[in-house]
Amino acid sequence: YAQGRRRRLMLQSLSQSEPSAVQTHPGVEVVLQAVTHCFFCSLLQLTGVLDDCFCDVESIDVFNNFKIYPRIKKLTERDYFRYYKVNLKRPCPFWPDDGHCAIKDCHVEPCPESKVPVGIKSGNYNKYSQAANTMSDMTECEQANELGAINSTLSNQSKEAFADWARHDDAQDHFCELDDETSPDAEYVDLLLNPERFTGYKGPSAWRVWNSIYEENCFKPRSVYRPLNPLAPSRGESSLCLEKRVFYRLISGLHSSINIHLCAEYLLDEGWGRSVWGPNVQEFRQRFDTAETKGEGTRRLKNLYFLYLIELRALYKVAPYFERAIVNLYTGNSQEDGETKELLLQIFNEIKAFPMHFDEKSMFAGHKMEAKTLKEEFRLHFKNISRIMDCVGCSKCRLWGKLQTQGLGTALKVLFSEKEIKNLPEHSPSKGFQLTRQEIVALLNGFGR
């Protein structure tokens, strides 16, 4: 409460001060001059308890800013998490492709294979420790039974067979349409060299993507009208059951998150052969200010906090999977790998200490058959949304859209696999629950976003 009160007093004092009296860097001065009293008033409304949760905005702010963000930023800069394999050439499955964005900032620069750490290039077969992949005291048959597709000593034919079985089994739990990593169109991308930012991609092509997500794939009452412009307000969330309300809020939170990233890294100046990126407060106001959004902006921001709590809960639930000694975030550099896992475990320890987690047990807790049907509908809706990301015309937007969607899909997979995670063997590879390296990278980078 005291932290929230200090935060509100600080915002109030800022809103009443004269920006011209503050001596700052020119770029910061422009930002200050753009901020108005009404804008700060709208931010002051972003406080208190979140719907469907026993958590308040102020507690999340303090926890994230001081405990989580500094560590998650370091983690996503490490080799294991900075390289993401993605197919940006998959055709849109829902409408004729209207061509890729011609703006130069839409381009994604793939990473040469020579730059990718050797352990990452070897694929998911090395997602466990190197020792687990080089066990020499078993027969080939015993290794096949014990390690399955994880063992890099298996023949290509055996690997393909195991991969087919794994794809069939995993498809029942996946909330996303996964890229085929063996496709010649799948390439490694260095996420640090291709940051998420506003590229100039907007208009009907971009709106059609979000319109399709909201109109065709989002649980919502029939009374909710979501026009083509995704910035327009929506109504009627309260009439949804918990599961459908959660689904809608997750999509809204993801939308808010992406919009904030674009406002924070906006192309401000392109002169003298050097692009200048930075915060665009006016763009942020257009999307989130209460006055600009007919009162909808605060709810959009609260849905972002809700999304944060959902993914935080998934990390809490999946911690036992990574805490086993057999799991190694393998890049081929043993010192790097050890430091990366230690940093990840530090994050898990901080998450465990957070007292106000989202309680997913209230979801799908009704009649068994109805709950099963609703859960499957939930999964298929989200899987469809992941396919829509292949319709994004801007390659860089598509990259980050696919990554964050897969991250959220992985979080949902974790939340619905609690029993399987509890029963994981300590000293042998998982059988009931597995995460590919791509899912791990997407989960942590998505949460980092």
Side-chain angles (χ1 to χ4, degrees):
Y1 170 81
Q3 177 67 28
R5 185 170 182 273
R6 284 195 297 272
R7 178 170 172 262
R8 287 190 289 274
L9 289 173
M10 179 188 71
L11 290 174
Q12 286 171 348
S13 64
L14 282 172
S15 67
Q16 294 163 4
S17 66
E18 289 292 335
S20 59
V22 183
Q23 298 300 317
T24 63
H25 182 278
V28 177
E29 189 172 345
V30 170
V31 171
L32 288 174
Q33 289 173 348
V35 176
T36 65
H37 177 74
C38 290
F39 178 48
F40 275 116
C41 287
S42 68
L43 287 180
L44 291 174
Q45 296 177 26
L46 185 62
T47 184
V49 177
L50 297 171
D51 297 334
D52 300 320
C53 299
F54 298 100
C55 189
D56 58 89
V57 167
E58 291 80 7
S59 296
I60 300 174
D61 280 343
V62 174
F63 171 69
N64 180 70
N65 293 343
F66 294 101
K67 301 289 187 179
I68 294 298
Y69 179 70
R71 291 183 171 90
I72 204 77
K73 186 174 185 297
K74 287 182 181 178
L75 185 73
T76 52
E77 290 172 352
R78 303 194 72 88
D79 282 354
Y80 187 88
F81 291 98
R82 68 183 288 182
Y83 296 103
Y84 181 64
K85 197 169 188 180
V86 62
N87 183 356
L88 298 176
K89 299 178 182 177
R90 287 178 59 170
C92 173
F94 298 108
W95 55 76
D97 196 343
D98 55 3
H100 286 268
C101 179
I103 303 172
K104 66 180 180 68
D105 292 309
C106 285
H107 176 67
V108 170
E109 189 63 42
C111 189
E113 288 268 341
S114 60
K115 298 290 186 181
V116 181
V118 61
I120 292 177
K121 284 190 291 188
S122 58
N124 290 318
Y125 311 119
N126 283 306
K127 68 177 176 226
Y128 293 98
S129 66
Q130 190 174 19
N133 290 316
T134 56
M135 297 171 68
S136 58
D137 56 346
M138 292 183 180
T139 66
E140 184 176 349
C141 183
E142 287 173 330
Q143 288 184 26
N145 288 330
E146 183 65 23
L147 298 179
I150 300 159
N151 184 2
S152 59
T153 65
L154 293 177
S155 68
N156 288 334
Q157 186 176 4
S158 297
K159 287 180 184 177
E160 290 175 6
F162 281 120
D164 286 341
W165 297 341
R167 276 194 292 270
H168 175 75
D169 293 338
D170 290 348
Q172 308 307 309
D173 298 317
H174 281 155
F175 283 74
C176 285
E177 187 79 23
L178 303 180
D179 284 348
D180 179 7
E181 293 182 51
T182 64
S183 168
D185 290 329
E187 297 178 294
Y188 284 102
V189 173
D190 185 337
L191 298 174
L192 298 184
L193 297 181
N194 293 275
E196 183 178 24
R197 53 176 47 154
F198 179 70
T199 64
Y201 175 67
K202 58 184 179 180
S205 179
W207 288 351
R208 179 163 59 173
V209 171
W210 284 111
N211 186 65
S212 180
I213 289 173
Y214 280 108
E215 285 298 320
E216 299 175 27
N217 292 279
C218 229
F219 292 114
K220 58 181 177 55
R222 293 180 183 274
S223 60
V224 172
Y225 172 63
R226 189 83 186 186
L228 182 63
N229 184 350
L231 303 181
S234 60
R235 301 174 298 279
E237 287 180 39
S238 59
S239 63
L240 299 169
C241 70
L242 174 63
E243 293 83 2
K244 295 183 178 183
R245 190 164 63 245
V246 164
F247 189 96
Y248 185 84
R249 296 189 69 187
L250 289 179
I251 301 307
S252 173
L254 181 63
H255 194 180
S256 296
S257 179
I258 291 173
N259 279 337
I260 290 172
H261 305 154
L262 305 186
C263 295
E265 288 287 329
Y266 204 92
L267 183 59
L268 301 177
D269 186 19
E270 206 173 2
W272 301 99
R274 178 176 173 269
S275 298
V276 177
W277 304 83
N280 186 327
V281 176
Q282 184 59 40
E283 189 71 23
F284 184 85
R285 287 187 58 195
Q286 180 184 342
R287 297 170 187 268
F288 297 104
D289 188 353
T290 301
E292 297 275 355
T293 61
K294 299 180 180 179
E296 189 71 14
T298 302
R299 180 172 3 190
R300 293 174 185 170
L301 292 173
K302 283 194 171 185
N303 287 341
L304 172 62
Y305 279 79
F306 182 77
L307 171 66
Y308 180 94
L309 285 178
I310 290 288
E311 297 199 10
L312 185 77
R313 183 62 170 175
L315 290 175
Y316 172 84
K317 290 288 186 180
V318 83
Y321 177 89
F322 291 97
E323 288 169 345
R324 297 174 300 154
I326 193 174
V327 175
N328 181 26
L329 304 176
Y330 186 64
T331 66
N333 183 328
S334 58
Q335 180 177 348
E336 166 94 7
D337 298 347
E339 292 172 354
T340 301
K341 183 168 181 181
E342 177 60 30
L343 183 54
L344 180 61
L345 295 182
Q346 289 176 17
I347 292 173
F348 286 141
N349 288 335
E350 293 292 350
I351 291 173
K352 289 177 182 178
F354 186 64
M356 292 176 278
H357 285 267
F358 175 78
D359 182 12
E360 76 287 351
K361 291 181 180 178
S362 57
M363 293 177 60
F364 309 108
H367 187 275
K368 190 172 183 179
M369 287 304 297
E370 290 180 1
K372 184 177 180 181
T373 301
L374 189 58
K375 177 181 175 181
E376 180 63 9
E377 190 178 1
F378 197 102
R379 186 182 71 85
L380 292 177
H381 271 287
F382 195 85
K383 196 167 186 177
N384 223 26
I385 287 174
S386 73
R387 298 176 70 202
I388 292 176
M389 290 301 164
D390 285 317
C391 299
V392 178
C394 166
S395 293
K396 189 167 289 183
C397 305
R398 181 182 293 205
L399 164 66
W400 286 99
K402 285 168 74 78
L403 181 140
Q404 291 171 83
T405 303
Q406 186 177 11
L408 177 52
T410 304
L412 294 173
K413 173 182 173 179
V414 168
L415 290 177
F416 293 123
S417 304
E418 183 176 12
K419 292 181 180 178
E420 291 80 1
I421 295 174
K422 281 184 177 179
N423 295 326
L424 288 172
E426 178 64 32
H427 299 293
S428 61
S430 312
K431 293 182 179 178
F433 176 84
Q434 292 185 10
L435 291 177
T436 67
R437 180 184 167 275
Q438 292 299 95
E439 289 176 309
I440 295 170
V441 171
L443 177 63
L444 271 300
N445 271 284
F447 181 65
R449 291 276 83 200

